[in-house]
Amino acid sequence: MEARLDVFASPLAGKLLKHFAAAGKVVTDSGLPVTTQELVKIRASQINGCGFCLDMHTKEAAAAGETAQRLHMVAAWREAKVFTEAERAALELAEQGTRLADGTGVPDEVWENAAKHYDEEQLLALVSLIAVINAFNRLNVMTQQPAGDYVVGQFG
């Protein structure tokens, strides 16, 4: 597949991606567990059909020590026994936050479950992470960025 736009050569895209990445860095440094961050990015990317981000975040998670079993089970997290209750709450929030167009918003019980496992700063980081990965997903899906060539650490 060929990308519709070469976002890596565009000065405008470079400025935009710099800000997306800076927002992502704030979340990375927030205290929200890194494992949870990668699982959320993977799940949102699966839902959005973003192969580019899915490739990147599964490789980054694996390089950070995430097991193949857990990576393979993210799409079926409800049935999998390999995730903690906190990770499950984050994955549910990620799904609901990614599927806002379905018209249900984020149900109170989903929010309350996440709030059992994460403090206010971590919740804000989680919500921000969901927003940022969805922005990256949408940019990559609309421009048809090809997947499969990502090298761990490629973007710093």
Side-chain angles (χ1 to χ4, degrees):
M1 171 182 4
E2 291 294 319
R4 289 176 170 155
L5 295 171
D6 185 353
V7 297
F8 300 110
S10 165
L12 176 65
K15 289 177 189 176
L16 177 68
L17 292 172
K18 179 180 174 183
H19 290 288
F20 281 12
K25 177 77 169 120
V26 171
V27 174
T28 299
D29 296 342
S30 70
L32 183 66
V34 174
T35 300
T36 301
Q37 292 181 42
E38 290 302 326
L39 294 173
V40 164
K41 290 183 234 178
I42 291 165
R43 186 64 189 126
S45 299
Q46 289 172 335
I47 293 166
N48 289 322
C50 183
F52 186 89
C53 288
L54 192 55
D55 180 37
M56 176 191 307
H57 296 297
T58 54
K59 287 177 179 173
E60 289 287 346
E66 188 58 76
T67 67
Q69 179 187 30
R70 283 171 44 98
L71 291 174
H72 292 301
M73 297 303 296
V74 172
W77 65 267
R78 284 179 181 82
E79 294 82 20
K81 297 178 181 181
V82 297
F83 301 107
T84 68
E85 289 303 314
E87 290 167 340
R88 291 173 176 283
L91 288 165
E92 177 69 9
L93 186 61
E95 284 189 4
Q96 296 296 326
T98 298
R99 292 188 163 130
L100 291 176
D102 291 351
T104 59
V106 176
D108 288 340
E109 59 270 10
V110 171
W111 183 264
E112 290 163 7
N113 189 37
K116 288 179 194 174
H117 302 283
Y118 301 100
D119 65 28
E120 285 191 10
E121 287 296 302
Q122 290 173 319
L123 283 169
L124 184 56
L126 189 54
V127 168
S128 300
L129 174 64
I130 294 164
V132 169
I133 192 60
N134 274 280
F136 272 118
N137 288 166
R138 281 155 175 74
L139 182 128
N140 288 325
V141 169
M142 285 189 277
T143 61
Q144 293 186 342
Q145 295 304 307
D149 295 331
Y150 181 78
V151 176
V152 172
Q154 177 175 329
F155 298 121

